[in-house]
Amino acid sequence: MSTEPLLELSSLTVDFATEDGGSRTLLAGLDLTLAPGEALGLVGESGSGKSMTVRAITRLLPPAATARGAIRFEGRDVASMDAAALRAYRDGGVGLIFQDPRAHINPTKRIGAFLTEALRHNRGLGRGEALARAEAVLAEVGIDDPARRLRQYPQEVSGGMLQRVMIASVLLAEPRLILADEPTTALDVTIQREVVAILDRLRRERGMGMVFITHDLDLALAVCGQVAVMYAGRIVELRSAESLHERAAHPYTRGLLGSRPAIDARAPRLTAIPGRPVSAFEAGPGCAFAPRCAFATRACESEPPQLVPFEGGLVRCARVEEIHAERTDKRTSKEATA
Amino acid sequence: MGRLLVRRLGGLATTLLLSSLVIFGSLYLAPGSPENVLFGNRMPTAAARAAARHRLHLDQPLPVRYWDWLTGVLHGDLGTSMVTGQPVADRIGAGLSTTVLLVAMTMVLVVVVGLAMGLAAALLPGRVDAAVSTLTSVSVTVPPFVASTLLISVFAVRMGWFPASGLGEGLGGRIDGLVLPACAMAVLSCGFLGRVTRNAVREQLEREHVQTALVRGLPRLVVLRTHVLRNALAPIVTAVGLLTAGTFASTLVVESAFAVPGIGQLTIQSVAQKDFPVVQAVALLLVGAFVVCNAASDLVQAVVDPRLRETGSTS
Ligand SMILES: Nc1ncnc2c1ncn2[C@@H]1O[C@H](COP(=O)(O)OP(=O)(O)OP(=O)(O)O)[C@@H](O)[C@H]1O
Ligand SMILES: [Mg+2]
């Protein structure tokens, strides 16, 4: 067994050409590695570049955007694939689940046609067989009366059901890697969990890798082995879900955990991160998060921090050791007085 | 779908009925009395005039005359020409096939050239798009009567490639004679359809569902055909329907300019000669062509876009 990674991003940078001839950096040097069958969470606020990352991975960037650095899928360089190789990579290599199924499914075609078109065009399956497979997968994603659904149009079913249809369409192609870009943000809270649970179970059963994008750090921790927290087009913390859950290192990550509604009484409810998230091109010369960070010093504003090893992961914070030493000190001194 | 069809057919019949009323009524209101046509320059005696009026049923009240005419039309009897004395149906029949052929040739040209230009502009941004845009914005300013004059002077008079007027023998001769008239009507419509196509295709290309199709590894041509073009079809079909109807109307001018013996020329002649039964019949025919074109485009749209079917059956 080779231990070749399924997906490898090295120094992935995406620049966007603006109308006035300038250029904006949207992603500023991303390094990520994903082993086959593993799930990686990509977490961050709006504008941090999560969608740009999956677009770059699938070579679906808008025409004005250019990617630099390397994206390797099973060792092959994605940027240098020719049309045929790219099609093969998109058919069975990666599968992309979009956030808004309503916009991402052709409204003039029946659900059956949507689910089977790739099987028929790419795999040469007959209509009957393709429909039979689609029906089976619809049942697996928890849709009842799948035969009837196949004959319906997208506007005749609910958003939650349509997202299951989208998930089914990706599962049908049996990709080695699923890219799920906020698959549940457009759905009702009650349906969100169900849909994530189905996606999580089915991809595990099939041994598919997954990049799971969300604003919700807790959700990412629940379904992913590794979590990358992004801020302003950079990774600020990359840790195993377990250790991150145990102890978030970066002040931004801690803010994300704090800004969730406190479900259990153990974690006292903290305030949300003050200020507004910035995109990569809006960031200053130093740490992009410094203006919103409670721990920032003058040096943070001017010196860009590097990713440094921390508890088995990586953290992009110049003061991470100090901050954690303080916390550990407090904790030990509390224990001592008790 | 079935219900939509029934509703459209009902609407079609109503429109035709109403327009027959309007046509009949407006000719009644038009200055000059129909029987004068018969006498030409002669001044008839009162008795002769009364006899003529009686023969033409002009002495009966308007509703009765309308009813007689309408029932006649429904039985296929369009009356007799006051000028030639031939049955109106014969006069129309002679020109109808020519006009239909002319409109068909025009629309084939429009659809082929207009779609090609629109597609090229939509799929090849940059120079091709700019060139096509210039071409279409010029061509939409060239109405058929201007195009007729230009085409006659260049291709018929100077080059002598096509006849300047009239039609030759047989189908080949007819087609040969109809090329220039068809081109004259197609210029403006090509530009119009080119623009509609370009914009519709551009809009669809930017749709998110097209990205979904691409990211599933479907070949680009398949995505273009089954998603982009397919969804852009609705506005294109509407435009083709409108343009076809408009082409029927343009035949009035263009057939006269090229001396094409079709319905358009017949209409202009009959109006000039105040040949009322013929005018009534051709006017009704033109309205019919209009209404049928629109209904056909609506139905095709409903086939193309299921969302229109939905609203069609719920409203
Ligand atoms: N088509 C585009 N043209 C120009 N800029 C874009 C485009 N799409 C995204 N951006 C910019 O790229 C940056 C990253 O956007 P991206 O969509 O990747 O963020 P995201 O992390 O997915 O956010 P969200 O959580 O809102 O989906 C943002 O600053 C955004 O304004
Ligand atoms: Mg996004």
Side-chain angles (χ1 to χ4, degrees), chain A residues 290-306:
Chain A
R292 300 170 74 190
C293 181
F295 302 93
T297 61
R298 183 82 48 78
C300 293
E301 308 259 358
S302 53
E303 277 296 305
Q306 302 302 313

Side-chain angles (χ1 to χ4, degrees), chain A residues 45-52 54-55 99 181-182 213 215:
Chain A
E45 288 167 294
S46 256
S48 54
K50 308 180 297 293
S51 298
M52 278 297 152
V54 291
R55 280 170 166 275
Q99 173 176 344
D181 189 355
E182 303 191 37
I213 293 184
H215 287 201

